[in-house]
Amino acid sequence: MSSDTRVGGPAAADSTVFAQNGQVDWVAFGQSIWSTSSVALQRFASAGVQPITFGAGLAIASTFTLDRVGKERMHSAIENLQGFWSFERFLYFGFGARSFVHVMADAQSGVNCIALCSALSDVHNEHTAAWILDELWKLYGYPLQFLPSHSQWTALVKACSGVLSRTEFSHISGTMLGHTLDIVPADVSNIEDIAKALRGLFRVSQGELARITVMGGSNCAFIAGFAHWILNLKVYVEDETGRLIYRGSDCEEAQLVVTYCRQASLSFIHISSTTYILRNGDEMFMRNQSLQEANLIFRTPWDGCLTRVFGADFTALTKSPIILGGFLGSVARVYQALALGESDVGQFSRATFISFVEPSYGIGFVNSVTSIFPELNRLNGLLHHMQLALNVPLSEAVSTIERTVLDLEQLCQCMLCSRDYTSPICRVALAFSIREMVSTVSCVTRDDKILPAVRGLQLVHNRQYLNWEMQSRDGGRPLLATALDLVMEGVYGDDADRIKNFDRLSHPMELFSGYGDHHRYSKAVDHVYRGPLYCTAAVNHGICYYLDCLRSISSDAETTRTVHIVPGHIQKDDKQFHHIYDISVRSVPNPEAAPVQADVLEAFQSSSIGRQARRIDLKIEMRGTESATDQELMVYYQATIPGGPGPVVKLQPGRISETALQRTGILTCKHMHCPERLVLPCALVRQGWKVPYVCDVQTWVNASAGPKCLIWPQMDDFARCVAIQLHLEFPKHIVIRRNECIPCCTVSLVQEIAGQGRQELYHLM
C-alpha cells in the first residue's frame, strides 16, 4: 500500500485522536474527519458511510480493549473474508481486498469498530444495531454536533455486517442462551439497557471494573457472547433457578455473570453500580419494528439443529424411522421421475418442477438428507427405508406419501392435527420442513462454516404449518391431495400453474439470515402489472445471495437452479448495491433487423433434422444501469449478433433462467425404440433468431388446425439464450430440449397439450 493511503486515514486518526483510555480529543477529531485520504474517502463513499460516521465509530470503539485472543479471532475473521466475480468481472460478491472493512482494519480502533458493528448485526437486525450505537454515543456524552444520523449508523453497521458470519460468534451466543426460551422470549431488550450493559463490559475490558452482573431477557446471550468471543472475558451464565448454562470460570472468578430472569422478577432485584438489568423492549421502539426484526438471530451447527430447535417433537418423529424414511424416500422418487423426464409422472406437473440439481432428486436427495442433517444419518434404519422407498414405481411412491402423511398426522399432538393439543410443533409440518430444507440446501453452494439461523428453521416450520392449516382443513380440498401439493411445492393436481416457489432466493435467505427481504418482495408486487422485476442477487443480514446466471448466462436447468451464498456485499467498481434486478421488459428492444429475423424452412416427416447444428460466434457482455434510489442495479447481458454491424439483443438473466427451469423437463425420451416419424407439423429454423408472427410462418400455422412445432438446430448455450429472450412474449411456447430425439419430442408435446386444440407455435430449442 502506498504511503498516501494512510495519511490522515485510520492509522493517523488512531494515534492522534483516540487515547489509550478511550478519551477523545474532539478538536483533533473534527480536523481529522476532513483530512482523510482520497483513497479512504472513496471506500467510505462505496459503503455509503460519511467520514464523520467513520470517526464516530472509531470513537466508540476506542472505549474497549481486545486482548491477544480477541485480536487473533478478529484477525482470522478479517483475513479469511473472500469474494467472487460475476461474468467478465463486472460485479463482485463478498469482501474485496480493499473493501471498506479492510481499510478500517488498518488500525486497531478500526478492528474494534468492525468487531462491535459486526457482532451487533450478527445477532440483531441492522436497524436495531444502529440504535444501540446511537445510544452508546449518548451514554458517553459525546458532542451532539458529531452525532451521525440513524441512516448513517445503519450504513456503518451494514458495511461491517457479515464479517463474523463464518465464525462461531453467533453460535456461541446462542449457546449462552441455553434452553431459556420458555422463560424469556428471543426478542430485543430495551435499547438503552443494552447500551449500558455494553458500556459496563467495555469498562471491564479496560480494567476499570473487575466484574459486572447482567440480568434479564434473551439479549443477555448477546452480552455473554460478546464478552466471551470478542473480549475474551471469563463468563458465567445461569437461569433464574441457579441452573448452570455456561461456565467459562467459577462464578467467584467470573468477570461477567449473567442471570436470566422473567420480567416480573426484575422489579425485586437489588440494583448496584455493577448490576445491569435488561428490560423488555421499549413499546414505542417495538411498534416501529416488524415482528421478525424484533427477534434475535442465533446460529446453530447443522449437527443436532433439529433436536435443538424442535426438541421433543423431533425426538418423537425419529422414533418412527419407517414413516419418516418412507416419506423422504418417496419424495426423492417423485423428484427423480420429474427431473429425469420419465414417461409417466401421474398428475404431477412437469412445467412447475425446478429441482434439476443432482443432489436434489433421487439418490442425490437421499444422500443430501444424511449429509445435511448428521443426526438423521445416525438414526437407525432411516437410510435403509429411504432407499427402499426410492426403488419402487412412481405410483407406489405416491401411495407411500399419502400413507406416511396420514401416519404423521395421527402421531402429531399439535392443535391442527390433534384434539388433545399439547405441542405447538406439527410433526407433519416438521416432515415437510425437512424436505424443504434439503431441497433448498442441495441447490446452494456455500462455505460450510456458514450455519443456519435458529429463527430460519423456525420460519420454515411456521410457513409449512400455515400452509397445511390453510389448505387442508378449511380450504375444501381433499386432505391427501393437499399433502401432495405441499410436499411437491405446488406441482400436483389442477393448480399446477400456480408456481409457489419460483423465487429461488427467498428460501435460502430465510434459512441462513433468519428473515426475508421485504424490500425485494414489495418491489416485485409494485411491478406485477408492468411485468415483474426478476431479482438475481440480494444482500441480507451481511450475507450475499446470488443466482448462477450472474456468473454466466445459461439455459441449463441444473446450472440456473444453483444459488451461491457468500458473506459480504455486492459491489460494482467503487459502489455497493443491495439488490440486483433484471432490466424491465420495457427496456428490452425487439430487434427486427435482417440478421435477427429467422429464415424458416418447412420440414416434412423426417427425424434427420435433429442432427443439424449451427455454429454461431456471439459477442456477449454484461452491463448494468444504476437505479436512482435504493442502491439497486439493473443488470443485463448484451449479445451482438454477427453479420455486419448487426443489432444488439439485451438478455434478462433472471427471466431467461426462470423460463429455462419452467420449460425444462417437459419432454420425455427412452432413447430406444423411438418412433421415426414426427406427429406434429414441424419447421426448421435455418438461420436468424427472431421468428416473425406474420407472413410465411403465420400462413403455415393457420394452414391446418392444431399446434405446430418450430425446431431450432442444436447451438451453444449463449445462442439458445438469445433465442429464448427474443421469444419471451409467450414463454409457455418455449420448450427446452436436453438430449431427447425429435420424434419423441413431438410425441411429448402432443401429450402435454392434449385436448387444447389451439393453433399455437411451439419453439423446440
Side-chain angles (χ1 to χ4, degrees), residues 22 24 26 56 59-60 62-63 136-145:
V24 180
W26 293 108
I60 294 176
S62 66
T63 61
L136 279 169
W137 182 276
K138 296 174 183 177
L139 283 176
Y140 281 107
Y142 292 159
L144 293 180
Q145 65 263 35

Side-chain angles (χ1 to χ4, degrees), residues 504-516:
R504 288 159 278 162
L505 298 177
S506 64
H507 285 185
M509 191 175 294
E510 286 185 350
L511 183 58
F512 289 97
S513 293
Y515 45 77

Side-chain angles (χ1 to χ4, degrees), residues 3 6 22 46 61 65 97 218 242 335 348 352 365 414 448 455 460 470 527-528 591 636 655 686 731 749:
S3 60
R6 289 180 179 262
S46 171
T65 301
S218 54
Y335 280 9
F348 295 100
T352 52
F365 183 94
C414 77
D448 289 339
R455 177 63 179 162
V460 173
M470 292 172 60
H527 291 78
V528 69
Y636 61 95
R655 195 176 178 205
R686 292 188 299 187
L749 284 175

Side-chain angles (χ1 to χ4, degrees), residues 496-507:
D497 287 338
R498 183 185 72 255
I499 301 172
K500 299 186 299 185
N501 188 26
F502 258 50
D503 188 344
R504 288 159 278 162
L505 298 177
S506 64
H507 285 185

Side-chain angles (χ1 to χ4, degrees), residues 699-713:
T699 301
W700 173 62
V701 170
N702 294 332
S704 60
K708 312 292 189 301
C709 184
L710 195 61
I711 300 173
W712 292 75

Side-chain angles (χ1 to χ4, degrees), residues 476-498:
R477 303 182 61 211
L479 176 64
L480 296 180
T482 298
L484 290 172
D485 184 36
L486 293 177
V487 166
M488 298 302 141
E489 298 288 4
V491 300
Y492 178 84
D494 297 332
D495 293 333
D497 287 338
R498 183 185 72 255

Side-chain angles (χ1 to χ4, degrees), residues 185-202:
D187 295 334
V188 176
S189 299
N190 181 277
I191 298 299
E192 183 179 356
D193 291 346
I194 298 172
K196 289 179 179 178
L198 282 173
R199 185 176 63 168
L201 277 186
F202 296 169

